[in-house]
Amino acid sequence: MTLHATIDRVTDRIRERSAKSRSAYLAKIARAAEEGPRRAHLSCGNQAHAYAAMPDKQDLATTRKPNIGIVTAYNDMLSAHQPYERYPDLIRQAAHAAGATAQVAGGVPAMCDGVTQGRPGMELSLFSRDVIALASGVALTHDTFDAALYLGVCDKIVPGLIIAAGTFGHIPAVFVPAGPMPSGLPNDEKSKVRQQFAIGEVGREALMAAEMASYHAPGTCTFYGTANTNQMLMEFMGLHLPGSSFVNPNTPLRDALTSAAVQRAAAITRLGNDYLPAGEVLDERAFVNGIVGLMATGGSTNLVLHLPAMARAAGVILDLEDFHDLSETVPLMARVYPNGLADVNHFHAAGGLGYMIGQLLDAGLLHQDVRTIAGGGLDQYAHEPRLKDGRIEWVEGARETLNDKILRPAADPFAPTGGLKQLSGNLGRGVIKVSAVAPERHVIEAPVRVFSDQEEVKAAFKRGEFTEDVIVVVRFQGPRANGMPELHSLTPTLAVLQDRGLRVALVTDGRMSGASGKVPAAIHISPEAADGGPLARLRDGDLVRLDAVGGTLSCLAAGFEDRQPAEHDPSHSAEGLGRELFAAFRRHVGPATEGAAVVV
């Protein structure tokens, strides 16, 4: 199938915009690769330190066996990362069978937005992505690895690992997923209990019972938030093995896929004949494919922040217009909670990513001619793994959807577009995701209530102050102000107001969760208020128009642009729970439109 004209045009635009930075990047990783296996440049003493604890250290010191570095986000506090506890032993065994060795090069932090929602710790969440990139860099600076396996799943972890993989782009990179937990309490039932708790219909005991029944086992949360969007992205970008993203943890197929990933890592080092540096996978076509996957699945808005930062690490420059134009072209093919009732296990059973990739390739909406860790182009990702006699074989994936309430063909989608809109106007530049928002709520014009903290919004709600149509503005939530926390804990409150018949929207320079849904939310507004951005000039009662159809966000009050901006008071976010350690990050972070990054 001929590549769709918009996919071609956007890719060319990114290529032209990135020409200078990408050329410099490729030259950099080529210089690093030319030095050959890095261990050859270590002294005998250096090598002895590196291999002292390894049972097969003599082989490493005297032979050309590939040595694989493991960068792991394991901890046993987070369900998504707990399965990684077993992986190092499994990886070492698989490496030995493949004629290689493997070492845990280092660990990276993995914090959970689900634990920190609405808490001060959430103000460190976005910056943890940069810390993960830095920690991965420390692990790989030992200069003893011929390939790297990256073990990570959740919100900031995968983007941070990609930034590291791009920075060390001369080293082959294979991403190894852990899989989602089995289905528990349906997400819509959990959401209903949350709303009942917000208005006092049920108590905390009922709320806790619902939450524990939903998040109940090792593995990723089963709704389609940022964590599972990350897993989709790694498959669309060719960094997972085909069909591996949504296989449940601790199953024979999951273990076999992990072993197969080790085999691929051993096969694509510079010591062999199939060298595949990570930097060659991470080109503009891979990032366009990732954005197409984001739109086709209705994925998390957090990736609109992460992808520009990830791409920049590989010399590729993305802009909000790229997301907007691709969203306008790519059909929404999936309905997974919060954009439907199904969870990711149901999605996977209905045909999953293999079906979607096959459909999108047939429609000319994906680049087939990309490099992937599977060894060929993206068409391999229309296949799915099967376990036969203890070994993996890939077979043709579903060619027909197995449940058209969850997954539809590209020619008969749930919606003709991906639902992500760029917004611009005299309030700045940002995005809105409308795939789960009713069409009659795509345009909201109402007076604003202005807040500087999400807890102030909840307090006003409890006092019964929201009785008319309202646009709730929560400003001073950008990366320079307080680290750009998610404001997902506002979702039940705003959803209650909407269910009462009010026309409601949120406008913020902060983030919303990948699980946000039916309430219109204009997010990532830039320039942020703490930088004197336009949100800092808003006052209670100003009439604001949020138009997701026309792509505008504007204050209609006379004299708005002549006002003095409100001053940000940083004292509320300056200390406590480690926030003082991140003062330098807040000072030096880039704007949301460029990924809100510190290290790239």
Side-chain angles (χ1 to χ4, degrees), residues 187-218:
N187 287 296
D188 59 323
E189 294 184 28
K190 174 194 69 181
S191 180
K192 181 180 179 181
V193 175
R194 284 180 173 177
Q195 290 191 38
Q196 289 174 326
F197 177 77
I199 59 177
E201 288 185 358
V202 300
R204 186 165 293 277
E205 185 175 337
L207 177 65
M208 191 68 207
E211 298 289 347
M212 292 294 286
S214 180
Y215 308 115
H216 64 99

mmCIF file of all heavy atoms in Angstrom, residues 187-218:
data_model
loop_
_atom_site.group_PDB
_atom_site.id
_atom_site.type_symbol
_atom_site.label_atom_id
_atom_site.label_comp_id
_atom_site.label_asym_id
_atom_site.label_seq_id
_atom_site.Cartn_x
_atom_site.Cartn_y
_atom_site.Cartn_z
ATOM 1 N N ASN A 187 -13.174 -1.378 35.158
ATOM 2 C CA ASN A 187 -12.772 -0.001 35.420
ATOM 3 C C ASN A 187 -13.953 0.945 35.557
ATOM 4 O O ASN A 187 -13.904 1.904 36.331
ATOM 5 C CB ASN A 187 -11.846 0.470 34.304
ATOM 6 C CG ASN A 187 -10.466 -0.153 34.404
ATOM 7 O OD1 ASN A 187 -9.746 0.078 35.363
ATOM 8 N ND2 ASN A 187 -10.103 -0.961 33.421
ATOM 9 N N ASP A 188 -15.048 0.701 34.798
ATOM 10 C CA ASP A 188 -16.194 1.599 34.918
ATOM 11 C C ASP A 188 -16.851 1.474 36.281
ATOM 12 O O ASP A 188 -17.347 2.455 36.840
ATOM 13 C CB ASP A 188 -17.202 1.352 33.792
ATOM 14 C CG ASP A 188 -17.732 -0.064 33.777
ATOM 15 O OD1 ASP A 188 -16.965 -1.007 34.066
ATOM 16 O OD2 ASP A 188 -18.928 -0.251 33.475
ATOM 17 N N GLU A 189 -16.843 0.263 36.862
ATOM 18 C CA GLU A 189 -17.389 0.091 38.213
ATOM 19 C C GLU A 189 -16.516 0.794 39.239
ATOM 20 O O GLU A 189 -17.028 1.420 40.181
ATOM 21 C CB GLU A 189 -17.522 -1.403 38.536
ATOM 22 C CG GLU A 189 -18.550 -2.135 37.678
ATOM 23 C CD GLU A 189 -18.723 -3.584 38.089
ATOM 24 O OE1 GLU A 189 -18.498 -3.891 39.285
ATOM 25 O OE2 GLU A 189 -19.072 -4.402 37.221
ATOM 26 N N LYS A 190 -15.202 0.690 39.085
ATOM 27 C CA LYS A 190 -14.287 1.394 39.983
ATOM 28 C C LYS A 190 -14.515 2.899 39.895
ATOM 29 O O LYS A 190 -14.569 3.598 40.924
ATOM 30 C CB LYS A 190 -12.848 1.047 39.619
ATOM 31 C CG LYS A 190 -11.792 1.818 40.393
ATOM 32 C CD LYS A 190 -10.439 1.663 39.747
ATOM 33 C CE LYS A 190 -10.389 2.380 38.406
ATOM 34 N NZ LYS A 190 -9.082 2.232 37.729
ATOM 35 N N SER A 191 -14.657 3.425 38.673
ATOM 36 C CA SER A 191 -14.868 4.852 38.480
ATOM 37 C C SER A 191 -16.168 5.311 39.132
ATOM 38 O O SER A 191 -16.235 6.400 39.731
ATOM 39 C CB SER A 191 -14.877 5.174 36.982
ATOM 40 O OG SER A 191 -15.078 6.533 36.759
ATOM 41 N N LYS A 192 -17.209 4.491 39.033
ATOM 42 C CA LYS A 192 -18.494 4.839 39.651
ATOM 43 C C LYS A 192 -18.352 4.972 41.161
ATOM 44 O O LYS A 192 -18.889 5.908 41.772
ATOM 45 C CB LYS A 192 -19.538 3.784 39.304
ATOM 46 C CG LYS A 192 -20.915 4.075 39.887
ATOM 47 C CD LYS A 192 -21.914 2.989 39.497
ATOM 48 C CE LYS A 192 -23.291 3.274 40.119
ATOM 49 N NZ LYS A 192 -24.271 2.210 39.766
ATOM 50 N N VAL A 193 -17.629 4.045 41.780
ATOM 51 C CA VAL A 193 -17.425 4.111 43.237
ATOM 52 C C VAL A 193 -16.635 5.368 43.603
ATOM 53 O O VAL A 193 -16.917 6.021 44.616
ATOM 54 C CB VAL A 193 -16.718 2.839 43.744
ATOM 55 C CG1 VAL A 193 -16.394 2.963 45.230
ATOM 56 C CG2 VAL A 193 -17.593 1.612 43.507
ATOM 57 N N ARG A 194 -15.657 5.740 42.777
ATOM 58 C CA ARG A 194 -14.889 6.959 43.046
ATOM 59 C C ARG A 194 -15.800 8.184 43.047
ATOM 60 O O ARG A 194 -15.666 9.068 43.900
ATOM 61 C CB ARG A 194 -13.784 7.126 41.990
ATOM 62 C CG ARG A 194 -12.588 6.212 42.169
ATOM 63 C CD ARG A 194 -11.549 6.449 41.090
ATOM 64 N NE ARG A 194 -10.327 5.694 41.327
ATOM 65 C CZ ARG A 194 -9.281 5.689 40.505
ATOM 66 N NH1 ARG A 194 -9.318 6.418 39.401
ATOM 67 N NH2 ARG A 194 -8.211 4.987 40.788
ATOM 68 N N GLN A 195 -16.704 8.253 42.080
ATOM 69 C CA GLN A 195 -17.620 9.389 42.032
ATOM 70 C C GLN A 195 -18.588 9.362 43.216
ATOM 71 O O GLN A 195 -18.914 10.409 43.782
ATOM 72 C CB GLN A 195 -18.390 9.378 40.705
ATOM 73 C CG GLN A 195 -17.527 9.713 39.505
ATOM 74 C CD GLN A 195 -18.332 9.964 38.245
ATOM 75 O OE1 GLN A 195 -19.408 10.559 38.296
ATOM 76 N NE2 GLN A 195 -17.838 9.499 37.123
ATOM 77 N N GLN A 196 -19.051 8.173 43.604
ATOM 78 C CA GLN A 196 -19.932 8.066 44.769
ATOM 79 C C GLN A 196 -19.216 8.539 46.028
ATOM 80 O O GLN A 196 -19.817 9.211 46.885
ATOM 81 C CB GLN A 196 -20.405 6.615 44.931
ATOM 82 C CG GLN A 196 -21.392 6.164 43.873
ATOM 83 C CD GLN A 196 -21.720 4.681 43.985
ATOM 84 O OE1 GLN A 196 -20.861 3.869 44.350
ATOM 85 N NE2 GLN A 196 -22.959 4.322 43.694
ATOM 86 N N PHE A 197 -17.926 8.213 46.148
ATOM 87 C CA PHE A 197 -17.157 8.660 47.303
ATOM 88 C C PHE A 197 -17.008 10.183 47.288
ATOM 89 O O PHE A 197 -17.094 10.846 48.329
ATOM 90 C CB PHE A 197 -15.781 7.992 47.310
ATOM 91 C CG PHE A 197 -14.895 8.440 48.434
ATOM 92 C CD1 PHE A 197 -15.079 7.961 49.728
ATOM 93 C CD2 PHE A 197 -13.872 9.356 48.214
ATOM 94 C CE1 PHE A 197 -14.262 8.382 50.764
ATOM 95 C CE2 PHE A 197 -13.052 9.781 49.236
ATOM 96 C CZ PHE A 197 -13.255 9.291 50.528
ATOM 97 N N ALA A 198 -16.815 10.758 46.085
ATOM 98 C CA ALA A 198 -16.607 12.203 45.968
ATOM 99 C C ALA A 198 -17.808 12.997 46.464
ATOM 100 O O ALA A 198 -17.659 14.119 46.974
ATOM 101 C CB ALA A 198 -16.297 12.577 44.518
ATOM 102 N N ILE A 199 -19.019 12.429 46.334
ATOM 103 C CA ILE A 199 -20.219 13.157 46.776
ATOM 104 C C ILE A 199 -20.781 12.594 48.077
ATOM 105 O O ILE A 199 -21.884 12.964 48.491
ATOM 106 C CB ILE A 199 -21.309 13.139 45.679
ATOM 107 C CG1 ILE A 199 -21.720 11.716 45.318
ATOM 108 C CG2 ILE A 199 -20.828 13.889 44.455
ATOM 109 C CD1 ILE A 199 -22.838 11.646 44.287
ATOM 110 N N GLY A 200 -20.025 11.693 48.720
ATOM 111 C CA GLY A 200 -20.402 11.212 50.033
ATOM 112 C C GLY A 200 -21.427 10.100 50.067
ATOM 113 O O GLY A 200 -21.969 9.787 51.125
ATOM 114 N N GLU A 201 -21.703 9.456 48.938
ATOM 115 C CA GLU A 201 -22.692 8.373 48.918
ATOM 116 C C GLU A 201 -22.141 7.082 49.510
ATOM 117 O O GLU A 201 -22.900 6.245 50.001
ATOM 118 C CB GLU A 201 -23.168 8.115 47.492
ATOM 119 C CG GLU A 201 -24.084 9.211 46.947
ATOM 120 C CD GLU A 201 -24.627 8.866 45.575
ATOM 121 O OE1 GLU A 201 -24.256 7.786 45.032
ATOM 122 O OE2 GLU A 201 -25.408 9.661 45.029
ATOM 123 N N VAL A 202 -20.816 6.877 49.417
ATOM 124 C CA VAL A 202 -20.190 5.707 50.026
ATOM 125 C C VAL A 202 -18.993 6.171 50.834
ATOM 126 O O VAL A 202 -18.447 7.263 50.612
ATOM 127 C CB VAL A 202 -19.744 4.666 48.963
ATOM 128 C CG1 VAL A 202 -20.930 4.179 48.144
ATOM 129 C CG2 VAL A 202 -18.658 5.227 48.062
ATOM 130 N N GLY A 203 -18.568 5.340 51.760
ATOM 131 C CA GLY A 203 -17.449 5.682 52.616
ATOM 132 C C GLY A 203 -16.130 5.142 52.104
ATOM 133 O O GLY A 203 -16.055 4.487 51.064
ATOM 134 N N ARG A 204 -15.085 5.413 52.862
ATOM 135 C CA ARG A 204 -13.744 5.009 52.445
ATOM 136 C C ARG A 204 -13.595 3.494 52.386
ATOM 137 O O ARG A 204 -12.823 2.966 51.579
ATOM 138 C CB ARG A 204 -12.701 5.611 53.398
ATOM 139 C CG ARG A 204 -11.266 5.375 52.960
ATOM 140 C CD ARG A 204 -10.305 6.273 53.718
ATOM 141 N NE ARG A 204 -10.498 7.672 53.384
ATOM 142 C CZ ARG A 204 -9.976 8.271 52.316
ATOM 143 N NH1 ARG A 204 -9.268 7.570 51.456
ATOM 144 N NH2 ARG A 204 -10.158 9.546 52.108
ATOM 145 N N GLU A 205 -14.323 2.767 53.215
ATOM 146 C CA GLU A 205 -14.214 1.308 53.191
ATOM 147 C C GLU A 205 -14.652 0.745 51.835
ATOM 148 O O GLU A 205 -13.985 -0.114 51.245
ATOM 149 C CB GLU A 205 -15.054 0.700 54.315
ATOM 150 C CG GLU A 205 -14.898 -0.803 54.441
ATOM 151 C CD GLU A 205 -15.649 -1.364 55.644
ATOM 152 O OE1 GLU A 205 -15.916 -0.607 56.595
ATOM 153 O OE2 GLU A 205 -15.956 -2.573 55.615
ATOM 154 N N ALA A 206 -15.755 1.267 51.312
ATOM 155 C CA ALA A 206 -16.237 0.812 49.999
ATOM 156 C C ALA A 206 -15.276 1.239 48.905
ATOM 157 O O ALA A 206 -15.013 0.491 47.947
ATOM 158 C CB ALA A 206 -17.629 1.366 49.721
ATOM 159 N N LEU A 207 -14.731 2.459 49.024
ATOM 160 C CA LEU A 207 -13.767 2.937 48.038
ATOM 161 C C LEU A 207 -12.538 2.044 48.028
ATOM 162 O O LEU A 207 -12.051 1.638 46.967
ATOM 163 C CB LEU A 207 -13.375 4.378 48.365
ATOM 164 C CG LEU A 207 -12.306 5.013 47.471
ATOM 165 C CD1 LEU A 207 -12.818 5.170 46.044
ATOM 166 C CD2 LEU A 207 -11.862 6.358 48.032
ATOM 167 N N MET A 208 -12.032 1.711 49.208
ATOM 168 C CA MET A 208 -10.822 0.892 49.286
ATOM 169 C C MET A 208 -11.072 -0.501 48.722
ATOM 170 O O MET A 208 -10.216 -1.065 48.022
ATOM 171 C CB MET A 208 -10.357 0.789 50.747
ATOM 172 C CG MET A 208 -8.978 0.194 50.904
ATOM 173 S SD MET A 208 -7.714 1.325 50.246
ATOM 174 C CE MET A 208 -6.431 0.165 49.786
ATOM 175 N N ALA A 209 -12.234 -1.055 49.001
ATOM 176 C CA ALA A 209 -12.556 -2.387 48.489
ATOM 177 C C ALA A 209 -12.578 -2.394 46.959
ATOM 178 O O ALA A 209 -12.069 -3.326 46.317
ATOM 179 C CB ALA A 209 -13.902 -2.851 49.037
ATOM 180 N N ALA A 210 -13.129 -1.336 46.354
ATOM 181 C CA ALA A 210 -13.182 -1.258 44.895
ATOM 182 C C ALA A 210 -11.783 -1.108 44.304
ATOM 183 O O ALA A 210 -11.447 -1.754 43.304
ATOM 184 C CB ALA A 210 -14.065 -0.085 44.465
ATOM 185 N N GLU A 211 -10.965 -0.261 44.920
ATOM 186 C CA GLU A 211 -9.620 -0.042 44.392
ATOM 187 C C GLU A 211 -8.790 -1.327 44.468
ATOM 188 O O GLU A 211 -8.071 -1.685 43.522
ATOM 189 C CB GLU A 211 -8.914 1.078 45.172
ATOM 190 C CG GLU A 211 -9.589 2.435 45.078
ATOM 191 C CD GLU A 211 -9.442 3.085 43.707
ATOM 192 O OE1 GLU A 211 -8.626 2.613 42.894
ATOM 193 O OE2 GLU A 211 -10.167 4.060 43.442
ATOM 194 N N MET A 212 -8.900 -2.055 45.604
ATOM 195 C CA MET A 212 -8.109 -3.269 45.764
ATOM 196 C C MET A 212 -8.583 -4.378 44.830
ATOM 197 O O MET A 212 -7.793 -5.228 44.392
ATOM 198 C CB MET A 212 -8.165 -3.744 47.222
ATOM 199 C CG MET A 212 -7.458 -2.812 48.195
ATOM 200 S SD MET A 212 -5.658 -2.722 47.938
ATOM 201 C CE MET A 212 -5.152 -4.308 48.614
ATOM 202 N N ALA A 213 -9.856 -4.385 44.503
ATOM 203 C CA ALA A 213 -10.375 -5.383 43.565
ATOM 204 C C ALA A 213 -9.963 -5.080 42.134
ATOM 205 O O ALA A 213 -9.932 -5.976 41.287
ATOM 206 C CB ALA A 213 -11.900 -5.462 43.657
ATOM 207 N N SER A 214 -9.637 -3.819 41.864
ATOM 208 C CA SER A 214 -9.197 -3.422 40.529
ATOM 209 C C SER A 214 -7.699 -3.634 40.361
ATOM 210 O O SER A 214 -7.247 -4.235 39.385
ATOM 211 C CB SER A 214 -9.550 -1.957 40.278
ATOM 212 O OG SER A 214 -9.136 -1.547 39.000
ATOM 213 N N TYR A 215 -6.910 -3.148 41.317
ATOM 214 C CA TYR A 215 -5.446 -3.308 41.292
ATOM 215 C C TYR A 215 -5.105 -4.459 42.233
ATOM 216 O O TYR A 215 -4.956 -4.263 43.439
ATOM 217 C CB TYR A 215 -4.763 -2.020 41.749
ATOM 218 C CG TYR A 215 -5.229 -0.797 41.002
ATOM 219 C CD1 TYR A 215 -5.915 0.227 41.645
ATOM 220 C CD2 TYR A 215 -4.999 -0.676 39.637
ATOM 221 C CE1 TYR A 215 -6.345 1.345 40.951
ATOM 222 C CE2 TYR A 215 -5.432 0.443 38.935
ATOM 223 C CZ TYR A 215 -6.096 1.442 39.600
ATOM 224 O OH TYR A 215 -6.531 2.547 38.907
ATOM 225 N N HIS A 216 -4.964 -5.664 41.681
ATOM 226 C CA HIS A 216 -5.057 -6.840 42.541
ATOM 227 C C HIS A 216 -3.946 -7.861 42.352
ATOM 228 O O HIS A 216 -3.923 -8.880 43.056
ATOM 229 C CB HIS A 216 -6.391 -7.547 42.272
ATOM 230 C CG HIS A 216 -6.502 -8.096 40.874
ATOM 231 N ND1 HIS A 216 -6.266 -9.420 40.588
ATOM 232 C CD2 HIS A 216 -6.758 -7.493 39.687
ATOM 233 C CE1 HIS A 216 -6.410 -9.614 39.282
ATOM 234 N NE2 HIS A 216 -6.700 -8.459 38.718
ATOM 235 N N ALA A 217 -2.990 -7.637 41.432
ATOM 236 C CA ALA A 217 -2.020 -8.680 41.122
ATOM 237 C C ALA A 217 -0.774 -8.058 40.503
ATOM 238 O O ALA A 217 -0.776 -6.890 40.117
ATOM 239 C CB ALA A 217 -2.647 -9.692 40.149
ATOM 240 N N PRO A 218 0.314 -8.842 40.371
ATOM 241 C CA PRO A 218 1.483 -8.325 39.645
ATOM 242 C C PRO A 218 1.131 -7.995 38.199
ATOM 243 O O PRO A 218 0.331 -8.679 37.567
ATOM 244 C CB PRO A 218 2.478 -9.491 39.715
ATOM 245 C CG PRO A 218 2.062 -10.297 40.891
ATOM 246 C CD PRO A 218 0.563 -10.183 40.937
#
